[in-house]
Amino acid sequence: MKRSGFPCFFVLLLPGLLFNLNCFSQAAIPDLVALNKRSEALRYENPTESAHLALRVIASGKKSPAAATQTAKGWINLTYALVETSRMDSAAICLDTAEKRIMPRKIPELVSNWNVLKGYYLDEKNDIAGALYYYFKGLELCTDPKTRGAIYNNIGVAYRRLKDFDNALKYYELAYAVGMAIGDTVRMAKSLNNTGSIWYNRLQFAKARSYYEQSLRLREGMKDSIGMLSSLNNIAMIYEEEKNYTGALDIHHRMLKNAHERHHPLDIITSTINIGNLELKQHHEAAALQWFNKALVISDSIKRFFYAVQIYQSLSRYYKSTGNYEKALSYLQLAMTQNDSVLQTSSRENAQELEARYQNREKEKEIALLNEKNKVTSLEKTNAELELRQKNNTLWLISAIALSILLLAGLLYYRNRAERKHSTELGMMLDEKNVLLKEIHHRVKNNLQLVSSLLSLQSNNSEQEETARLLKVSQDRIHSLALLHEKLYQSEQLKAISFSNYIRELAHYLGDSFNCRERQITITVESADIAADIDQLVPCGLILNELITNSLKYAFPNDGPGEISIRAGINGADCSLHISDNGTGISGQHPPGIGLKLVNGLVRQLKGKIQQLHPATGGTAYLITFPLHLYKQTKTL
């Protein structure tokens, strides 16, 4: 396999390259502007060439104060190219260099561009919350419509990775509106493609395909080969949902060939994983294993944990399909361990960053104190020379006053230093506490997922249908609790989460678990944005799990089309949950069992009420109301 065209030793030779390039005649400002525009245009299509152009800008404008703006843009373009070629350590160095050249000048356009770059870097490092913070800072300073459209798109992508599809759709539509207003066909095509992905995630495949095909037509008109492959990749996912595996494989092989031609490691590994998953779906186990092993080699070479987790999960599915449950569980544990190591590394990096900042502040204070002492000493010498020409007794008086001032300044300084050190230590202790709490929730989630996986393996090996069914029910209940702890360690508050996002992910999991796509059953969720307390989230999650499961198992004996609706809202001081289906009704469903008894017990635990409704349109509905303990947030993004 060819390695990326931007080798790792390239950045190590960066100072020498800059020196050699600087030996050429200094380029005029218009030339630097043209080079930067070309570098930006090639940022994703050919990041290696983009990096070379950026280096030319940096070298040519190095000694010209008039070219400072273009030089700063060169550092921005170089950082983007490094991120695209997975040189994250080198990208971090260039990101800091760009900051030092941009922030002191306080030019809004450059400050905005740097903030968006920082967000993009954090996005690639999987710090989505941090990425959104910098994207919004960049958006606030941005005045160029074309750049605003690009920022809207980045924000939409970040929200989609958080599975907040409502906000993702909102920002994709804003990006499309900007493209329409200024005639930016590239932005319009990207926005249509991304909007299609939202409808794909919402399982509305016909609508998703319509957006993908609109995007493809625009890109064909522009002869945008890279964009066309992106749209085709999404259409391939629709083929996969329609079980047209031959069409999907053809597209992914074309994308893999193009990624090799462009020396783009991230696209290479993505296509490799996709081909392996498609081979596995067609029960071509041997071919699938070869593709997964290829992907694992590439992942190890670029050291990107996100892809390693995907590969381990695919290998776990492979060994499960071949009946090797021991290896399936082993790779599942590897995926979890990879996530754990990332969390621990992040914690260590945060602690080291806090310590480094503290030490830098202390050094700056010591330098300032030495400067002050030097100034005082110089002043004392000058005064002494002047006073020697006068009376000796005046010299002693001034010396005594100067010494007293120095002693007082020293006492005040050391007192202030002690207070600052104490404050810094308290801040570091608080940060450490938050990291530990997140670690606890993360490990609880992992342990619950491990128990869920063990139950899944046991149910697959069970010869008794009733035993397998009971194990599946227990697995779903445990997953609802694991999902809750996952949301808690991702939450800024660590004690409350978004009730809306939790309901949507739980419903999505149960829909996959009961094959809702094939059964043509749709689950819709409407929820107010509620920051619910953990003491109420646990019973709520179990209640929703039982009632949704009950509808999926018994309301549609002959499958769909059918719909299950979940609505959550606030009425005064109470929270209301309305769960309904348009199935066979209570007479056609299974008689009340342990699940409904559990629901009644959990409602009593919430000090609430439950009503069984009989909709005029048929089906079954439940209305649950209980007093809501709203969690008061103390910090916002």
Side-chain angles (χ1 to χ4, degrees):
M1 181 190 71
K2 275 191 174 183
R3 294 183 62 82
S4 169
F6 198 66
C8 57
F9 65 82
F10 188 81
V11 175
L12 297 177
L13 299 177
L14 181 61
L17 286 170
L18 290 176
F19 175 79
N20 291 330
L21 286 170
N22 200 45
C23 293
F24 294 106
S25 59
Q26 196 173 52
I29 300 299
D31 295 335
L32 298 183
V33 172
L35 286 172
N36 265 329
K37 286 184 177 180
R38 181 62 179 159
S39 176
E40 183 178 352
L42 294 172
R43 184 177 293 167
Y44 308 110
E45 181 180 351
N46 191 340
T48 303
E49 179 62 22
S50 175
H52 285 302
L53 293 171
L55 283 169
R56 286 179 60 188
V57 172
I58 293 167
S60 298
K62 189 176 181 182
K63 293 184 179 180
S64 173
T69 298
Q70 294 306 315
T71 305
K73 290 183 178 180
W75 282 107
I76 288 176
N77 287 331
L78 178 59
T79 308
Y80 272 114
L82 290 167
V83 172
E84 284 301 302
T85 51
S86 300
R87 312 298 177 192
M88 303 305 285
D89 292 339
S90 301
I93 296 171
C94 291
L95 184 66
D96 290 341
T97 304
E99 181 182 17
K100 291 173 184 176
R101 281 161 171 72
I102 289 171
M103 293 307 175
R105 306 187 65 209
K106 298 181 180 179
I107 299 175
E109 177 196 2
L110 287 178
V111 175
S112 172
N113 291 344
W114 184 87
N115 277 291
V116 175
L117 171 61
K118 176 76 171 180
Y120 189 73
Y121 172 81
L122 292 175
D123 203 339
E124 289 296 315
K125 296 281 284 185
N126 216 39
D127 182 0
I128 310 302
L132 279 171
Y133 171 77
Y134 282 100
Y135 285 152
F136 280 116
K137 284 187 70 175
L139 184 63
E140 185 178 353
L141 295 169
C142 181
T143 57
D144 176 50
K146 186 174 182 179
T147 306
R148 289 183 72 86
I151 300 173
Y152 285 144
N153 179 76
N154 288 357
I155 294 173
V157 171
Y159 274 124
R160 187 182 70 188
R161 292 185 66 186
L162 290 174
K163 298 184 180 179
D164 185 349
F165 299 134
D166 291 336
N167 269 321
L169 187 60
K170 168 186 170 183
Y171 283 97
Y172 288 153
E173 289 173 346
L174 284 172
Y176 182 80
V178 170
M180 282 283 290
I182 64 176
D184 186 352
T185 312
V186 174
R187 178 59 49 212
M188 292 165 61
K190 285 185 179 180
S191 302
L192 288 169
N193 191 56
N194 288 334
T195 302
S197 68
I198 298 300
W199 295 114
Y200 176 85
N201 282 292
R202 288 179 168 175
L203 309 182
Q204 298 191 30
F205 302 124
K207 202 165 187 177
R209 185 168 188 166
S210 172
Y211 279 100
Y212 292 151
E213 288 174 347
Q214 290 180 61
S215 173
L216 181 60
R217 285 194 293 273
L218 287 176
R219 286 167 166 172
E220 286 174 341
M222 295 183 290
K223 296 183 179 180
D224 176 8
S225 59
I226 304 300
M228 288 162 59
L229 286 172
S230 175
S231 297
L232 284 169
N233 176 64
N234 292 331
I235 294 173
M237 292 193 297
I238 300 292
Y239 283 158
E240 191 174 339
E241 293 295 336
E242 296 171 346
K243 302 193 184 316
N244 181 2
Y245 298 130
T246 302
L249 270 172
D250 178 61
I251 290 175
H252 286 308
H253 277 292
R254 287 166 60 188
M255 294 189 67
L256 179 61
K257 180 181 177 183
N258 183 274
H260 277 296
E261 290 172 352
R262 292 184 294 114
H263 310 298
H264 202 297
L266 301 187
D267 287 350
I268 292 172
I269 193 171
T270 299
S271 297
T272 305
I273 295 171
N274 287 337
I275 292 171
N277 287 331
L278 280 169
E279 294 287 6
L280 187 60
K281 285 191 175 183
Q282 295 180 89
H283 305 291
H284 301 158
E285 284 81 4
L289 183 59
Q290 289 180 355
W291 286 104
F292 293 148
N293 286 334
K294 287 181 182 178
L296 196 58
V297 171
I298 304 170
S299 172
D300 291 341
S301 68
I302 64 175
K303 297 180 181 178
R304 299 294 285 275
F305 90 94
F306 175 76
Y307 296 100
V309 172
Q310 284 188 324
I311 298 164
Y312 291 146
Q313 290 171 344
S314 294
L315 284 168
S316 178
R317 288 192 295 271
Y318 162 78
Y319 282 111
K320 182 178 178 181
S321 70
T322 59
N324 191 340
Y325 298 112
E326 182 179 358
K327 275 202 170 184
L329 181 59
S330 172
Y331 276 106
L332 187 63
Q333 289 172 329
L334 274 174
M336 294 178 182
T337 304
Q338 185 74 16
N339 277 325
D340 283 343
S341 67
V342 170
L343 180 64
Q344 292 167 2
T345 301
S346 176
S347 301
R348 287 195 299 271
E349 288 175 351
N350 287 338
Q352 290 169 357
E353 182 181 356
L354 289 172
E355 177 65 19
R357 289 182 180 178
Y358 171 74
Q359 294 295 341
N360 286 337
R361 283 198 298 270
E362 293 302 307
K363 289 178 180 177
E364 288 172 0
K365 291 176 189 174
E366 290 176 2
I367 292 170
L369 179 62
L370 288 172
N371 289 335
E372 288 299 319
K373 287 183 176 179
N374 289 335
K375 290 178 182 178
V376 171
T377 303
S378 177
L379 180 62
E380 287 177 348
K381 289 180 179 179
T382 303
N383 289 337
E385 291 174 358
L386 292 173
E387 293 301 323
L388 282 173
R389 298 171 188 173
Q390 300 175 4
K391 298 179 180 180
N392 289 334
N393 58 349
T394 306
L395 173 62
W396 288 107
L397 179 61
I398 292 175
S399 299
I401 293 172
L403 182 60
S404 299
I405 293 173
L406 186 60
L407 289 172
L408 180 60
L411 289 173
L412 290 174
Y413 166 76
Y414 283 109
R415 179 180 177 183
N416 181 58
R417 180 178 177 181
E419 290 176 353
R420 286 179 178 273
K421 183 177 180 181
H422 181 64
S423 175
T424 302
E425 289 174 349
L426 287 177
M428 292 175 68
M429 289 172 64
L430 179 61
D431 288 339
E432 183 179 357
K433 174 190 170 185
N434 288 335
V435 169
L436 289 174
L437 283 174
K438 286 189 176 185
E439 176 74 10
I440 289 170
H441 282 301
H442 190 73
R443 290 193 178 278
V444 170
K445 184 267 295 185
N446 281 349
N447 289 335
L448 288 172
Q449 280 193 341
L450 183 58
V451 173
S452 177
S453 299
L454 290 171
L455 289 174
S456 175
L457 293 173
Q458 188 66 42
S459 66
N460 288 333
N461 286 332
S462 175
E463 297 178 357
Q464 298 183 2
E465 184 178 348
E466 179 62 19
T467 301
R469 185 186 67 79
L470 292 174
L471 289 170
K472 178 66 173 62
V473 170
S474 299
Q475 180 188 355
D476 290 342
R477 289 170 180 161
I478 289 172
H479 181 83
S480 69
L481 297 176
L483 180 60
L484 175 62
H485 283 280
E486 179 181 3
K487 289 295 180 184
L488 281 169
Y489 81 72
Q490 292 174 350
S491 168
E492 187 74 19
Q493 303 297 329
L494 297 176
K495 188 173 170 61
I497 64 171
S498 170
F499 197 28
S500 172
N501 288 342
Y502 175 60
I503 295 175
R504 293 179 195 279
E505 292 208 23
L506 180 60
H508 183 74
Y509 165 78
L510 292 173
D512 285 345
S513 182
F514 284 88
N515 296 320
C516 283
R517 295 181 187 176
E518 296 180 6
R519 296 175 63 193
Q520 296 185 330
I521 300 172
T522 305
I523 304 177
T524 60
V525 178
E526 297 179 15
S527 173
D529 191 10
I530 306 168
D533 191 277
I534 185 175
D535 295 332
Q536 292 189 309
L537 284 168
V538 172
C540 282
L542 290 171
I543 288 170
L544 287 167
N545 181 79
E546 295 302 325
L547 295 180
I548 297 172
T549 300
N550 201 43
S551 292
L552 289 170
K553 287 167 65 176
Y554 305 118
F556 308 101
N558 299 319
D559 294 337
E563 182 178 3
I564 299 172
S565 175
I566 307 165
R567 296 198 304 273
I570 302 176
N571 184 13
D574 292 339
C575 178
S576 64
L577 290 176
H578 187 272
I579 303 97
S580 64
D581 63 63
N582 60 356
T584 58
I586 194 65
S587 61
Q589 296 187 12
H590 196 275
I594 188 171
L596 289 178
K597 290 179 182 178
L598 175 62
V599 169
N600 286 318
L602 292 168
V603 171
R604 286 195 298 272
Q605 181 180 335
L606 289 169
K607 299 181 181 179
K609 298 178 182 179
I610 182 171
Q611 293 177 270
Q612 182 177 333
L613 308 176
H614 301 281
T617 56
T620 304
Y622 292 92
L623 176 63
I624 300 168
T625 57
F626 58 91
L628 181 64
H629 303 157
L630 287 174
Y631 182 77
K632 295 181 179 179
Q633 296 189 8
T634 58
K635 181 179 178 182
T636 57
L637 182 63

